[in-house]
Amino acid sequence: MTDYPEEYYEFFIKFNEGDYYTCHDLLEDMWMTDKGNLFLKGLLQMSVAIYHYSYGNVKGARLMMQAAHDYLQTYRPRYWGLDMEKIYPFIEECLKTFPAVDRVPYEEVRKLPELPVLYLYLED
């Protein structure tokens, strides 16, 4: 099995727990040491998109998810033990799910359509 940075392993745990804010921090720490790594940037944008959506920033979620889609494209079908062909349907479904609004008040977030569920696994 390939050895990855500790933050990468922690990212999987936090993502699967739904702690997208911590995912952002973990990935950003790695990305800051290798800003040319668009794979990390794409995963970072995907996590940020879900986090934005969770508090009603639909426009931000849409923009970040589209960025994730674009950044991760060149890493298909598999990269760093991650099957991108399982991630892309999730990203595309999220983009279809986001309503055509910019923002909803936090008190109304629960009225937003639910995003699909994605669990991430290393497949080395």
Side-chain angles (χ1 to χ4, degrees):
M1 184 167 175
T2 306
D3 285 332
Y4 300 106
E6 185 64 33
E7 295 91 348
Y8 190 59
Y9 294 111
E10 290 177 37
F11 160 72
F12 281 82
I13 293 166
K14 294 302 178 183
F15 189 93
N16 291 338
E17 290 176 347
D19 185 354
Y20 305 110
Y21 187 84
T22 301
C23 288
H24 164 269
D25 290 345
L26 291 166
L27 293 170
E28 187 173 58
D29 286 347
M30 289 190 300
W31 181 69
M32 291 300 280
T33 64
D34 183 10
K35 289 194 176 185
N37 189 330
L38 298 181
F39 173 73
L40 293 175
K41 189 171 183 179
L43 293 179
L44 175 64
Q45 301 291 5
M46 181 177 73
S47 300
V48 169
I50 300 166
Y51 178 71
H52 279 315
Y53 192 73
S54 74
Y55 67 83
N57 181 1
V58 180
K59 181 179 180 181
R62 188 179 309 105
L63 292 172
M64 292 294 104
M65 195 63 79
Q66 186 60 56
H69 182 276
D70 298 345
Y71 287 130
L72 293 172
Q73 186 67 31
T74 58
Y75 297 95
R76 292 175 94 169
R78 175 182 294 275
Y79 190 78
W80 263 28
L82 196 53
D83 184 347
M84 301 307 294
E85 300 310 313
K86 292 180 180 173
I87 291 175
Y88 261 82
F90 169 78
I91 290 173
E92 290 168 350
E93 191 61 32
C94 286
L95 289 168
K96 290 178 194 173
T97 301
F98 297 144
V101 298
D102 287 349
R103 177 175 294 280
V104 298
Y106 184 75
E107 302 78 35
E108 296 180 24
V109 166
R110 66 186 179 285
K111 296 179 184 176
L112 287 171
E114 285 189 38
L115 295 181
V117 175
L118 174 67
Y119 293 101
L120 297 178
Y121 301 96
L122 277 174
E123 298 183 10
D124 272 347

